[in-house]
């Protein structure tokens, strides 16, 4: 299995491709990473160093891969944070070119826009790009609950309204949706987080304990692992269970370390051999 992953890259810490590539490799996926930025560290520190790549830079790299025959037999294109509309256009161009060589390839998009606490943290032109052009081209999207609402123009909060928003998202284009960081008033108690996966006519929800940690890059790991598991197995329940178990173990180990950055390497056994301690439940509501 081969994935073309177009995301940011940092030297210190783990976000973007620096978070997604190693877990994919650890479960046996061949990854072709393309960096959209090459930064010293993620922007959450408030300062960083290093260059942005332009959309033309991305196209040049994709062309070089194509000239080597590397766009044949690609199973998925994976994208995350898009710092500018020129990068988004280049990613969409890459998806088109990949599908010309690999018609069955899936475009998996993490529509990074923001979160419920801080709102949108990308430029208005990027918001429009993701909502109006990128999501309709995606086969699989992995928004958090806030991003789900932003893209669909809805206000998901309860289970019912979140499922309604997922249905709206699928009408826009994507066949499969994974919603992360789900919080709803009717959940069992406040110290849990949930993810909901909808593929075909099946909707699954999984619950994990809420850990007192905010770890940049965990969403990138989640999107990468879920994409790979779903493509490999075709089983949304198993894919959700494996992803939840792996990411929870990663966050648990990061919390125990007392460090700010994901303990990506130290938790590597959890990707290849997750403990499968979380059992997704089937939702029967109007999917």
């Amino acid at each position: 299995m081969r994935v073309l992953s177009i995301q940011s890259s940092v030297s210190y810490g783990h976000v973007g491709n620096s978070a997604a590539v190693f877990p994919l490799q650890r479960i046996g996926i061949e990854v072709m990473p393309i960096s959209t930025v090459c930064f010293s560290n993620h922007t959450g520190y408030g300062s960083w160093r290093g260059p942005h790549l332009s959309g033309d830079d991305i196209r040049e790299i994709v062309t070089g891969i194509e000239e080597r025959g590397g766009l044949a037999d690609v199973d998925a294109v994976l994208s995350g944070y898009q710092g500018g509309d020129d990068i988004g256009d280049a990613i969409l161009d890459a998806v088109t070119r990949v599908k010309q060589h690999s018609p069955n390839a899936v475009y998996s998009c993490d529509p990074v826009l923001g979160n419920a606490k801080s709102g949108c943290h990308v430029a208005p032109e990027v918001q429009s790009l993701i909502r109006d052009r990128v999501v309709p081209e995606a086969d699989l999207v992995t928004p958090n609950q806030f991003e789900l609402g932003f893209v669909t123009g809805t206000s998901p909060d309860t289970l019912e309204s979140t499922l309604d928003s997922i249905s709206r998202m699928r009408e826009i284009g994507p066949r499969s949706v994974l919603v992360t960081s789900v919080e709803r008033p009717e959940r069992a108690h406040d110290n849990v987080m949930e993810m909901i996966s909808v593929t075909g006519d099946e909707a699954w929800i999984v619950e994990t304990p809420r850990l007192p940690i905010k770890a940049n890059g965990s969403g990138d790991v989640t999107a990468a692992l879920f994409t790979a598991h779903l493509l490999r197995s075709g089983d949304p329940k198993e894919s959700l269970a494996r992803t939840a178990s792996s990411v929870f173990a990663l966050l648990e180990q990061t919390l125990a370390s007392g460090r700010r950055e994901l303990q990506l390497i130290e938790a590597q056994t959890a990707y290849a051999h997750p403990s499968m301690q979380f059992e997704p439940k089937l939702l029967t509501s109007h999917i």
Side-chain angles (χ1 to χ4, degrees), residues 51-98:
H52 290 264
L53 277 75
S54 69
D56 287 340
D57 291 328
I58 304 302
R59 291 184 181 90
E60 278 291 289
I61 296 171
V62 172
T63 296
I65 296 172
E66 185 176 36
E67 290 171 345
R68 306 284 81 78
L71 298 187
D73 301 320
V74 172
D75 296 282
V77 179
L78 183 64
S79 73
Y81 174 74
Q82 301 182 18
D85 55 358
D86 65 325
I87 295 295
D89 287 333
I91 291 172
L92 289 174
D93 288 347
V95 171
T96 297
R97 291 166 72 176
V98 165

Side-chain angles (χ1 to χ4, degrees), residues 158-164 166-167 170 177-179 182 184 186-187 194-207 236-237 240 279-287:
T158 65
L159 178 60
E160 190 77 6
S161 62
T162 300
L163 290 172
D164 284 341
I166 293 172
S167 295
R170 298 177 77 199
V177 179
L178 172 70
V179 184
V182 174
R184 54 192 180 91
E186 70 269 34
R187 65 189 186 276
E194 294 172 320
M195 293 194 292
I196 297 175
S197 165
V198 178
T199 297
D201 59 358
E202 291 185 5
W204 296 91
I205 188 168
V206 68
E207 175 185 289
K237 178 185 179 183
L240 188 60
E279 179 76 10
K281 297 179 180 179
L282 182 66
L283 298 171
T284 57
S285 301
H286 68 275
I287 292 299

Side-chain angles (χ1 to χ4, degrees), residues 98-206:
V98 165
K99 290 193 174 188
Q100 288 172 348
H101 295 273
S102 304
N104 294 324
V106 166
Y107 174 32
S108 176
C109 170
D110 186 3
V112 180
L113 293 163
N115 56 65
K117 291 184 178 179
S118 60
C120 272
H121 52 61
V122 299
E125 62 269 20
V126 176
Q127 297 173 25
S128 299
L129 171 80
I130 290 176
R131 182 187 60 236
D132 301 332
R133 296 181 53 210
V134 172
V135 168
E137 294 298 322
D139 302 294
L140 165 64
V141 289
T142 58
N144 61 35
Q145 195 172 21
F146 168 82
E147 292 159 345
L148 172 68
F150 184 92
V151 170
T152 59
T154 59
S155 301
D157 51 6
T158 65
L159 178 60
E160 190 77 6
S161 62
T162 300
L163 290 172
D164 284 341
S165 296
I166 293 172
S167 295
R168 172 61 186 142
M169 180 74 91
R170 298 177 77 199
E171 290 172 1
I172 294 172
R175 300 191 305 270
S176 298
V177 179
L178 172 70
V179 184
T180 63
S181 303
V182 174
E183 298 185 50
R184 54 192 180 91
E186 70 269 34
R187 65 189 186 276
H189 50 82
D190 291 340
N191 294 321
V192 299
M193 292 293 288
E194 294 172 320
M195 293 194 292
I196 297 175
S197 165
V198 178
T199 297
D201 59 358
E202 291 185 5
W204 296 91
I205 188 168
V206 68

